[in-house]
């Protein structure tokens, strides 16, 4: 089994509800949520004029590979209504892979650990 850490974020609509729904979808389509942080509020990063984000980090035990998880979380984002109009744009839900086991993965579609986590 693999351990993956995901960051969930929302700054549109009922932000807390979107995070709650995302956790439920992750449990159904990715794996068992072992731990979760409190939900915290943060200011938008790299942009101005947006609403604050609610964020949560979850630890998930899963049998899937990092690439499979990426495909699944992109589907969850899409199913929850995320529309990608601009980089760093507002979003109903955002799900990022922060860590996958202790692996370092660099492909055109995936960078683990997440390249902006320290920022």
């Amino acid at each position: 089994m693999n351990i993956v850490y995901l960051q969930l974020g929302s700054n549109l609509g009922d932000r807390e509800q979107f995070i709650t729904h995302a956790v439920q979808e992750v449990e159904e389509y990715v794996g068992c949520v072992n731990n979760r942080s409190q939900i915290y509020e943060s200011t938008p990063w790299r942009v101005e004029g947006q609403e604050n984000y609610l964020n949560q980090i979850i630890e998930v035990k899963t049998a899937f590979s990092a690439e499979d998880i990426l495909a699944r979380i992109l589907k969850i984002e899409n199913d929850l209504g995320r529309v990608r109009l601009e980089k760093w744009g507002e979003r109903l839900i955002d799900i990022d892979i922060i860590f996958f086991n202790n692996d370092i993965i660099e492909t055109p579609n995936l960078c683990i650990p997440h390249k902006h986590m320290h920022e």
Side-chain angles (χ1 to χ4, degrees), residues 13-14 17 25 36-37 44-45 50 74 76 92 111-112 119:
D14 187 340
Q17 192 64 37
E25 295 290 304
R36 63 182 84 189
S37 71
W45 180 71
Q50 292 184 6
L74 289 173
I76 291 168
L92 294 170
C111 182
I112 298 173
E119 298 177 85

Side-chain angles (χ1 to χ4, degrees), residues 50-83:
Q50 292 184 6
E51 296 295 321
N52 285 348
Y53 279 85
L54 289 185
N55 299 99
Q56 184 173 47
I57 303 291
I58 59 175
E59 178 192 67
V60 181
K61 187 175 181 180
T62 181
F64 295 109
S65 69
E67 292 79 8
D68 288 341
I69 293 167
L70 178 61
R72 288 168 181 267
I73 63 176
L74 289 173
K75 182 175 182 337
I76 291 168
E77 288 178 343
N78 187 59
D79 290 350
L80 292 177
R82 175 152 183 198
V83 177

Side-chain angles (χ1 to χ4, degrees), residues 5 7 45 88 91 94-100 103 105 110-119:
Y5 288 88
Q7 177 176 300
W45 180 71
W88 313 116
R91 52 203 73 182
D94 182 42
I95 307 173
D96 293 326
I97 301 173
I98 305 301
F99 294 109
F100 182 81
D103 297 0
I105 301 170
L110 192 57
C111 182
I112 298 173
H114 192 281
K115 62 184 173 183
H116 296 296
M117 73 172 182
H118 65 286
E119 298 177 85

Side-chain angles (χ1 to χ4, degrees), residues 11-53:
N11 76 332
L12 290 175
D14 187 340
R15 302 172 300 163
E16 193 165 349
Q17 192 64 37
F18 277 108
I19 289 174
T20 298
H21 283 185
V23 171
Q24 292 167 347
E25 295 290 304
V26 166
E27 285 202 289
E28 185 167 345
Y29 297 108
V30 178
C32 178
V33 175
N34 290 334
N35 289 303
R36 63 182 84 189
S37 71
Q38 293 182 344
I39 293 176
Y40 58 96
E41 190 166 21
S42 64
T43 57
W45 180 71
R46 292 194 175 190
V47 294
E48 293 181 17
Q50 292 184 6
E51 296 295 321
N52 285 348
Y53 279 85

